[in-house]
Amino acid sequence: MQKLKQGVADLVEDARKIINEVEVEEAMRLAKDEKVLIVDIRDVRERQRNGFIPGSFHCPRGMTEFWVDPDSPYFKQEFADNTRFLFHCAVDWRSALTVSTLEKMGFKGASHIKGGYNAWRDAGGPVEIPPERKKS
């Protein structure tokens, strides 16, 4: 097995030192603000299986940097129209790394929800479960 210079837990810990983490209770309050966009970076299958935060914008983790960059051909207008962005994944490792990367890119207004979707759901935050997809 290859020995890594820095494991993923270390990367996440380093990210937490430079990003803004929002407690789930504050995230629930902020979700009511029209200038705040909750950004779900989980895989589409996670959203289908476990549900999602109503009104959240789905931005798959692999596309985040491309969708926030106005010079990218993949830029999404959602990242120009809001002033604050609350990113989340299932727990919060992927969103911590995402927000850290966005900080390095110079993207403003990005935070992440500490504990992610699971913390939101467990705290009684509203969730939407999509209808079951028919298997073809």
Side-chain angles (χ1 to χ4, degrees), residues 118-134:
N118 293 348
W120 174 282
R121 183 195 59 219
D122 295 346
V127 298
E128 187 172 326
I129 305 295
E132 191 169 328
R133 294 172 52 171
K134 294 181 180 178

Side-chain angles (χ1 to χ4, degrees), residues 3-44:
K3 175 81 169 129
L4 299 174
K5 289 182 181 181
Q6 189 175 26
V8 71
D10 295 326
L11 289 172
V12 171
E13 190 57 37
D14 286 349
R16 289 184 195 284
K17 294 174 185 172
I18 65 167
I19 66 172
N20 183 33
E21 294 186 293
V22 174
E23 296 291 338
V24 72
E25 294 80 11
E26 181 183 357
M28 284 189 245
R29 185 182 56 75
L30 289 169
K32 298 172 186 169
D33 185 336
E34 65 185 34
K35 295 283 189 185
V36 174
L37 181 64
I38 295 179
V39 182
D40 185 344
I41 65 167
R42 295 174 302 151
D43 181 89
V44 67

Side-chain angles (χ1 to χ4, degrees), residues 42-62:
R42 295 174 302 151
D43 181 89
V44 67
R45 291 173 296 265
E46 290 176 275
R47 286 174 56 94
Q48 186 69 35
R49 183 178 56 244
N50 301 321
F52 55 90
I53 298 171
S56 63
F57 176 66
H58 184 226
C59 175
R61 172 64 191 105

Side-chain angles (χ1 to χ4, degrees), residues 45-131:
R45 291 173 296 265
E46 290 176 275
R47 286 174 56 94
Q48 186 69 35
R49 183 178 56 244
N50 301 321
F52 55 90
I53 298 171
S56 63
F57 176 66
H58 184 226
C59 175
R61 172 64 191 105
M63 293 304 295
T64 308
E65 293 85 351
F66 300 97
W67 286 13
V68 304
D69 184 350
D71 294 329
S72 165
Y74 302 104
F75 176 70
K76 296 290 184 188
Q77 191 62 39
E78 286 81 358
F79 292 107
D81 292 341
N82 294 279
T83 56
R84 184 148 188 206
F85 304 88
L86 298 179
F87 288 81
H88 78 83
C89 58
V91 178
D92 74 8
W93 283 30
R94 289 174 288 175
S95 58
L97 293 174
T98 298
V99 172
S100 174
T101 299
L102 296 180
E103 288 277 331
K104 292 173 187 170
M105 291 175 69
F107 185 78
K108 301 294 183 205
S111 302
H112 92 122
I113 300 173
K114 193 172 182 180
Y117 178 79
N118 293 348
W120 174 282
R121 183 195 59 219
D122 295 346
V127 298
E128 187 172 326
I129 305 295

